[in-house]
Amino acid sequence: MGHHHHHGPHAHHHHSETSSRRIGMAFWLNFFFTIIEFIGGVLTNSTAIIADAVHDLGDSLSLGLAWILNKLGAKQATVGFTYGYKRFSLLGALINALVLLAGSTWVLFEAVPRLADPVMPNTEGMIYLAILGVVVNGYAAFKLSGGKTLNERVLNWHLLEDVLGWVAVLIGAIVMHFVYLPIIDPLLSIAFTAFILINVVRNLIETLKLFSQANPNPELFEKIETALKTVSGVANIHHLHLWSLDGESHVLTAHVELANDFESSSDYLHVKTAINDALSEFQLYHTTIELEVLSESCRITEDAEHPHH
């Protein structure tokens, strides 16, 4: 029975408009900057800058994907995609993680041999590139910090990491400029790469969980269950399922057992309204509730699935 949407299509559309613009701008900034970086890394002979370029390439890709997916995600649902396109952002997160894994492996192959035989990079070039890096990524991160979607949060994280990465390159380059310590360069690149890998693995696990329709928020699940059970006239809840389209838009289905049969249609409406009110605080994207009166048994046989009753 009843399902409802909490935010009107208009409000939601406007949100994704600005989100799309923010991501688009950050994408172009990052994309051009990544090209400059790769060239700069080769010219200055610095693996640290190349490591950062890989990191930025990953960000450019994730920004580009997020931008496309953001436009898609805002499209209305179709017969083919009845829940709309929100789930595509998970696909973007997955592709991005795989690209970063590949890039990081490549940087490690470049940097590790240099630990044994460090090459002195061109520190002056490194200093200029690092200052540019801090400014460009700082601006992009600032632009995305207003975002609410999982996608924007992940991207904002990426850009903030980049800012920190460039600050580290800057400090390293300044030290090498005054002290002959070429080993700083490969050490920095290995540190960045380890950092990228830890985050990628974390995001990958999160993404795969959402893909598997895992419960996105066990705490929220408990709260919803409690809220439904406290509605007057409700005897029990079963087949309660909570999953997420994109980490932000959650979908809920439940079977609600009632303490007695309906005397009249106003009883029926009364219970429905009470359930809707109980759920309204949770900002669910989509809910489907099946009411079961006292005299009927559940359509789904109990052995088929029973998380807990």
Side-chain angles (χ1 to χ4, degrees):
M1 99 171 201
H3 54 240
H4 46 270
H5 292 263
H6 287 288
H7 23 234
H10 189 72
H12 203 79
H13 186 70
H14 176 71
H15 163 75
S16 50
E17 262 302 284
T18 47
S19 160
S20 181
R21 254 210 310 280
R22 281 196 296 261
I23 294 176
M25 189 228 52
F27 165 72
W28 288 114
L29 260 182
N30 240 46
F31 177 67
F32 286 119
F33 186 60
T34 303
I35 297 169
I36 294 171
E37 253 175 302
F38 271 112
I39 298 166
V42 172
L43 292 179
T44 54
N45 196 13
S46 160
T47 54
I49 285 186
I50 289 180
D52 232 333
V54 165
H55 193 169
D56 272 1
L57 172 68
D59 295 350
S60 293
L61 267 176
S62 58
L63 285 162
L65 278 163
W67 193 23
I68 297 165
L69 297 170
N70 203 288
K71 286 186 181 307
L72 264 180
K75 280 173 62 173
Q76 292 302 307
T78 62
V79 176
F81 289 90
T82 56
Y83 268 117
Y85 295 83
K86 286 184 175 301
R87 212 131 167 87
F88 276 85
S89 68
L90 290 185
L91 196 58
L94 182 67
I95 295 169
N96 182 45
L98 298 175
V99 169
L100 283 177
L101 281 175
S104 302
T105 314
W106 175 63
V107 171
L108 289 177
F109 270 110
E110 290 290 309
V112 172
R114 284 207 185 184
L115 287 173
D117 184 19
V119 183
M120 190 66 177
N122 170 347
T123 52
E124 206 170 304
M126 279 180 79
I127 292 171
Y128 291 133
L129 272 170
I131 291 171
L132 188 61
V134 170
V135 172
V136 171
N137 288 298
Y139 181 69
F142 169 71
K143 278 301 221 188
L144 279 186
S145 60
K148 296 278 182 292
T149 60
L150 181 68
N151 227 324
E152 280 176 292
R153 284 208 304 273
V154 168
L155 297 171
N156 192 33
W157 235 124
H158 278 325
L159 296 167
L160 283 176
E161 285 162 21
D162 287 354
V163 173
L164 294 174
W166 284 111
V167 169
V169 170
L170 185 58
I171 294 167
I174 291 171
V175 171
M176 284 188 289
H177 193 67
F178 295 107
V179 188
Y180 184 79
L181 274 177
I183 192 135
I184 287 181
D185 184 63
L187 283 176
L188 272 176
S189 57
I190 290 166
F192 292 154
T193 307
F195 184 68
I196 297 172
L197 287 173
I198 292 165
N199 275 305
V200 165
V201 170
R202 223 184 17 232
N203 285 331
L204 197 54
I205 292 169
E206 184 68 17
T207 304
L208 291 174
K209 267 165 73 178
L210 290 175
F211 260 124
S212 317
Q213 297 196 345
N215 174 353
N217 185 339
E219 201 181 308
L220 178 67
F221 184 86
E222 299 291 331
K223 281 185 184 159
I224 290 173
E225 187 170 39
T226 312
L228 285 173
K229 282 182 172 167
T230 51
V231 173
S232 75
V234 170
N236 200 6
I237 307 289
H238 60 266
H239 293 314
L240 181 64
H241 302 293
L242 180 69
W243 57 280
S244 188
L245 291 172
D246 58 359
E248 188 190 62
S249 308
H250 300 336
V251 178
L252 175 84
T253 60
H255 286 203
V256 176
E257 293 174 46
L258 301 174
N260 31 41
D261 289 350
F262 291 121
E263 297 295 319
S264 64
S265 61
S266 68
D267 278 1
Y268 170 73
L269 276 175
H270 181 73
V271 171
K272 254 183 91 158
T273 312
I275 289 174
N276 279 353
D277 291 347
L279 289 177
S280 65
E281 63 170 298
F282 299 112
Q283 294 286 309
L284 297 161
Y285 179 70
H286 189 100
T287 59
T288 308
I289 308 290
E290 178 151 351
L291 297 182
E292 293 169 4
V293 293
L294 185 62
S295 56
E296 74 176 315
S297 56
C298 180
R299 280 185 305 113
I300 301 173
T301 55
E302 283 305 335
D303 332 327
E305 45 164 330
H306 50 148
H308 59 91
H309 313 294

